[in-house]
Amino acid sequence: KTRMGAEWVRAQAESNRRLKVALVGATQADARRVMIEGESGLLAIAPPRWRPRWEPSLGRLTWPNGAQAHVYSAAEPDSLRGPEHGIAWADEIGKWAEGEAAWSNLELTMRAGRKPRIMATTTPRPVPLIRRLLAQRDVAVTHGRSAANRAHLAEGFLDAVTAIYGGTRLGRQELDGELVDDVAGALWTRDLIERCRAGVAPGLDRVVIGVDPPPGTAGDACGIVAVGLAPAA
C-alpha cells in the first residue's frame, strides 16, 4: 500500500509543475521514515532524473519541475490550518491519534487545482474515521491481501505469520485487509454501543464508566462504576 501511495503522488507531481501535495503521517517521524525515506517511499521509487530534493529541516520535497510536497503530522491537526493543496496522501489513518480532527482540517486544505483528491492508505481498523469514510458515497475503496504481495516479502515470512495468525481476528485484519468490527461472540458490539450512546449528563463535562469483569471463570459478579466530572467552580 505504501508503494501504491508513493507511485500515485509521483505520477501526479511529475505531470503538474504547479502541484502542491500534503503528505500526512500519524507523526512526523512516521511520514519521514515510511512515506519519504522508506523502501517504497517517494525517494526510493523516483528515477534518477526525477528524484525530488528532500529538505528534512523544512519537511519539504521539491521535484525537478517545481511541484512540491510538504509533510504534516496527524498528531498536530492545527498544523494543517492555512496551506492549500491539490492532492494529499494520508498514510495509516487507522492509527491517527487525532484522526477525525486531522482529516477534517486536511479536507479544508483541498482547494487548489481543478479536482483535489485525497488518497488514504491504511491497515483497516474499526476507528471512527475509517467507519465514517466507508459510509461516504464519494469514497472509492480498494482492498489488498498480503498474499498478493508475496513476491516482495522475505522468503518464508508469509507462511510463518499465516501459520500463527491465519483465521484469527488479527490475521483477518493484518493479512487479509478486512475491517473487523467486533470480536466473534462479543456481548457488547460496536453497533449496539453506538445505538445506545447518550450525550453527557446535564451539568457534567465528562462521564466515564469502568467495568471490572470477574476474574477467569471463578466468579459470576461484575462491578460497574460510573463517574461524572463537574465543571470547575
Side-chain angles (χ1 to χ4, degrees), residues 16 25 39 86 96 102-103 116 159 164 231:
N16 184 353
E39 292 185 4
W96 285 9
W103 187 272
D159 292 335
I164 299 172

Side-chain angles (χ1 to χ4, degrees), residues 151-220:
H152 300 95
L153 299 174
E155 184 177 355
F157 168 79
L158 197 57
D159 292 335
V161 294
T162 300
I164 299 172
Y165 301 109
T168 67
R169 185 177 188 273
L170 182 62
R172 289 169 57 198
Q173 174 181 283
E174 299 292 332
L175 302 178
D176 297 331
E178 291 185 33
L179 181 66
V180 184
D181 271 335
D182 296 298
V183 176
L187 180 61
W188 308 104
T189 64
R190 291 180 182 272
D191 181 63
L192 176 62
I193 292 173
E194 292 301 324
R195 285 189 284 111
C196 295
R197 189 181 297 278
V200 175
L204 298 177
D205 283 343
R206 185 183 181 196
V207 173
V208 176
I209 299 176
V211 179
D212 183 18
T217 58
D220 59 1

Side-chain angles (χ1 to χ4, degrees), residues 10 15 39 61 74 101 108 129 134 155 165 221-222:
R10 171 196 159 196
S15 63
E39 292 185 4
L61 279 173
L108 293 175
L129 174 57
L134 290 176
E155 184 177 355
Y165 301 109
C222 180

Side-chain angles (χ1 to χ4, degrees), residues 61-183:
L61 279 173
T62 304
W63 276 265
N65 65 350
Q68 289 189 343
H70 287 83
V71 176
Y72 301 92
S73 168
E76 303 172 9
D78 284 348
S79 67
L80 284 159
R81 294 183 180 275
E84 61 178 28
H85 307 102
I87 67 168
W89 174 18
D91 189 48
E92 289 296 356
I93 63 173
K95 71 173 189 178
W96 285 9
E98 300 288 338
E100 293 193 278
W103 187 272
S104 295
N105 284 357
L106 175 61
E107 286 185 310
L108 293 175
T109 74
M110 306 306 296
R111 55 183 185 269
R114 293 185 299 173
K115 191 178 180 181
R117 287 171 292 171
I118 303 174
M119 170 181 280
T121 51
T122 189
T123 297
R125 295 175 178 173
V127 297
L129 174 57
I130 291 181
R131 292 165 65 90
R132 164 186 154 189
L133 294 176
L134 290 176
Q136 294 181 201
R137 297 181 61 183
D138 60 347
V139 174
V141 180
T142 61
H143 299 274
R145 301 177 67 245
S146 296
N149 196 38
R150 180 183 290 272
H152 300 95
L153 299 174
E155 184 177 355
F157 168 79
L158 197 57
D159 292 335
V161 294
T162 300
I164 299 172
Y165 301 109
T168 67
R169 185 177 188 273
L170 182 62
R172 289 169 57 198
Q173 174 181 283
E174 299 292 332
L175 302 178
D176 297 331
E178 291 185 33
L179 181 66
V180 184
D181 271 335
D182 296 298
V183 176

